[in-house]
Amino acid sequence: FKMSGILRDFKKHTSKSILQKIQNEPESRRDWLLQIMREAAIKNSKVQAYQLWRNDNHPIVLYSTEVIHQKINYIHNNPVVAGIVENSEDYLYSSARNYAGLESLLEIDSF
């Protein structure tokens, strides 16, 4: 198996599934989400109507504990950078809560 094929299939499946859920189930942010996905599709000639995932893939080898922690911190900081929360552990759907010793909606295996 080639990783690029696995990732392509994963993106295709999940984008179709998520789009279907947004369109068919009660979702308070439906119009906003669809607008964002439409705008992303307009920027990409390969996409017809909606785009959820970016086209590029930049795999990173996680060769040390330090690099793993660096990537985890990057992911945890995304809601902060997006202006959703002030502190990463305030985002309910983030494992940052686990790392901060707070009650969390997610279960993680730490190393």
Side-chain angles (χ1 to χ4, degrees):
F1 292 101
K2 287 191 173 186
M3 185 56 89
S4 60
I6 293 170
L7 192 53
R8 178 201 63 230
D9 294 347
F10 172 79
K11 287 180 172 183
K12 183 176 181 180
H13 173 75
T14 56
S15 62
K16 284 183 178 183
S17 179
I18 291 169
L19 179 60
Q20 182 182 28
K21 296 280 186 191
I22 292 170
Q23 291 174 324
N24 298 327
E25 294 186 12
E27 171 53 62
S28 63
R29 300 160 294 179
R30 175 183 294 136
D31 294 339
W32 175 74
L33 289 167
L34 292 175
Q35 179 62 31
I36 289 173
M37 292 170 70
R38 268 198 280 316
E39 289 171 5
I42 290 169
K43 297 175 187 174
N44 182 359
S45 62
K46 294 180 183 180
V47 178
Q48 294 178 358
Y50 301 101
Q51 181 171 349
L52 176 64
W53 296 107
R54 291 175 51 151
N55 288 331
D56 58 344
N57 302 311
H58 300 289
I60 298 167
V61 177
L62 302 175
Y63 58 87
S64 71
T65 303
E66 182 182 337
V67 172
I68 293 170
H69 283 291
Q70 179 188 36
K71 300 311 170 195
I72 290 170
N73 290 334
Y74 174 83
I75 292 167
H76 286 168
N77 201 43
N78 281 337
V80 176
V81 172
I84 298 170
V85 293
E86 190 172 322
N87 301 299
S88 59
E89 62 271 11
D90 294 337
Y91 191 65
L92 292 177
Y93 299 99
S94 174
S95 60
R97 297 182 62 77
N98 303 76
Y99 283 84
L102 300 172
E103 194 172 318
S104 178
L105 299 174
L106 304 175
E107 261 186 59
I108 66 165
D109 292 328
S110 56
F111 55 97

